[in-house]
Amino acid sequence: MRRPFIAGNWKMNKTVDEAVEMVTELKELVAGVEDVDIAICAPAVDLYAMNKVVADTNIALGAENMYWKESGAYTGELSPAMIKSVGCEYVIIGHSERREIFGEDDQLLNLKLKTAFAEDLNPILCIGEKLAERESGAHFDKVEFQLEAGLSGIEAADVKNMVLAYEPLWAIGTGETATPEQAEEIISFIREKVAKMYDQKTAEAVRIQYGGSVKPHNVTEIMAQPNIDGALVGGASLEAESFSQIVKFD
Ligand code: PGA
């Protein structure tokens, strides 16, 4: 049985003080939650201070990005060891904003994934189609391509422990959610694709989140879908109250 996993993605929001205030509130609100894995992926500068608040709680931390080299002349980048040193267990790889705004391609993301596994970080690999691809019916081909390129050369044992996040670009920050049925349709397709690329056991083990305008009012029906194991939450993860309601989705 796959454990539900609700992760926040703060993007470029919150100073250190704001981040500490939010997780201080959140840890009280979710203190009793035992059956859901919870993580906040936050701006790198916030993580050290956040870790002081959430270490030894049920809230894990993640980075929003990292580079794939160990160290060296890569001005502005962060290594896996750096993000681990501030308490990160998770790292988002290939968020659509990284792909679209910063030009990250599947080859680069594949290198980042390999490095994350080598350094014992749990990557959350984001995949998903644009509006025009959805409208022309190309969304299945798009996620299939992203899976093949992103997971190229990665072992089943690693895939079992990673997280995939299906995030249609047209639903991110727009208030427009994929219907639970649309999300389930493509997420079950993603799981079948993992079974073809690896095997049934791997496909059954990998956790697949839905992301894109997940809110307290729609999380329950999204989480009721058999293949959806969690949510990657942007806007609604910025407030402790709304994020805690999503975590307690029942
Ligand atoms: P959103 O963002 O919940 O604000 O739509 C989701 C994401 O980009 O991960």
Side-chain angles (χ1 to χ4, degrees):
M1 198 48 206
R2 298 181 296 270
R3 242 174 101 77
F5 178 33
I6 306 288
N9 169 20
W10 281 358
K11 311 190 178 186
M12 197 175 75
N13 291 293
K14 294 198 188 290
T15 61
V16 174
D17 288 349
E18 290 164 348
V20 165
E21 191 184 331
M22 190 285 192
V23 285
T24 304
E25 207 184 316
L26 181 67
K27 78 172 178 182
E28 303 303 328
L29 292 171
V30 301
V33 175
E34 283 170 2
D35 46 3
V36 175
D37 286 344
I38 308 167
I40 299 274
C41 301
V45 292
D46 295 341
L47 290 164
Y48 179 83
M50 289 169 74
N51 191 33
K52 302 265 175 243
V53 180
V54 303
D56 305 322
T57 72
N58 55 349
I59 303 169
L61 293 179
E64 298 176 8
N65 181 31
M66 64 163 206
Y67 200 51
W68 62 279
K69 293 277 192 175
E70 266 173 44
S71 64
Y74 305 102
T75 301
E77 292 295 327
L78 298 167
S79 73
M82 288 172 187
I83 60 176
K84 274 170 61 176
S85 74
V86 289
C88 289
E89 286 172 44
Y90 295 94
V91 58
I92 299 176
I93 301 288
H95 189 277
S96 59
E97 287 147 19
R98 300 296 319 170
R99 292 176 187 260
E100 296 299 312
I101 304 171
F102 301 100
E104 297 193 1
D105 63 17
D106 292 286
Q107 285 68 36
L108 174 68
L109 301 175
N110 178 252
L111 291 170
K112 291 186 177 197
L113 277 181
K114 287 176 176 157
T115 307
F117 292 126
E119 302 287 335
D120 276 333
L121 279 158
N122 295 327
I124 302 171
L125 174 66
C126 298
I127 58 177
E129 81 285 357
K130 296 180 199 172
L131 182 59
E133 291 162 335
R134 164 70 59 167
E135 285 173 345
S136 69
H139 47 298
F140 292 109
D141 286 350
K142 178 64 181 274
V143 297
E144 190 163 24
F145 176 81
Q146 288 176 322
L147 283 172
E148 278 171 7
L151 299 181
S152 168
I154 290 173
E155 305 284 321
D158 286 331
V159 175
K160 277 186 190 146
N161 291 320
M162 75 180 291
V163 178
L164 295 168
Y166 167 68
E167 299 203 307
L169 273 66
W170 46 273
I172 295 179
T174 58
E176 195 172 331
T177 343
T179 64
E181 294 73 27
Q182 280 175 323
E184 170 65 17
E185 180 188 39
I186 193 150
I187 287 178
S188 64
F189 172 82
I190 291 167
R191 201 176 295 290
E192 280 163 27
K193 177 70 189 170
V194 173
K196 280 188 204 140
M197 288 172 67
Y198 295 92
D199 51 58
Q200 199 57 35
K201 269 202 167 141
T202 306
E204 275 164 24
V206 66
R207 290 190 291 183
I208 311 179
Q209 297 175 317
Y210 167 77
S213 298
V214 176
K215 308 285 177 205
H217 73 83
N218 59 24
V219 65
T220 306
E221 49 176 4
I222 291 168
M223 290 302 293
Q225 302 300 317
N227 280 288
I228 302 183
D229 305 316
L232 185 56
V233 185
S237 72
L238 293 170
E239 300 292 331
E241 185 58 46
S242 59
F243 188 63
S244 71
Q245 285 174 23
I246 291 174
V247 165
K248 299 177 192 171
F249 59 85
D250 283 350

